[in-house]
Amino acid sequence: MKLLLDSTRCQGYGLCQEPAPELIDLDEWGYAQLRVTEVPPGEREAAEAAVATCPNSALRLVK
């Protein structure tokens, strides 16, 4: 499973990083940056929570 980020939709709220700190970093302005694109098996729930938390739908999961 891959975690994808559409950086043009990210508004820098930083909410996605809270449930998935192992997958997502924030830059100096609070915009999301992916640490990995391939989601490890133990991080799937965190990735799903990050996607659900993003108010701008900047994140998505694909198989």
Side-chain angles (χ1 to χ4, degrees):
M1 177 169 289
K2 292 187 182 225
L3 180 62
L4 302 177
L5 170 66
D6 180 347
S7 59
T8 64
R9 298 183 112 184
C10 181
Q11 295 295 306
Y13 294 112
L15 301 174
C16 60
Q17 200 259 347
E18 290 178 29
E22 299 298 320
L23 304 174
I24 301 168
D25 280 329
L26 300 178
D27 69 12
E28 60 192 271
W29 298 284
Y31 290 92
Q33 296 181 325
L34 298 181
R35 296 182 78 187
V36 298
T37 54
E38 194 66 39
V39 178
E43 295 292 325
R44 183 176 178 165
E45 190 174 307
E48 290 171 347
V51 170
T53 303
C54 180
N56 292 72
S57 301
L59 294 168
R60 64 185 174 111
L61 288 170
V62 294
K63 293 184 181 186

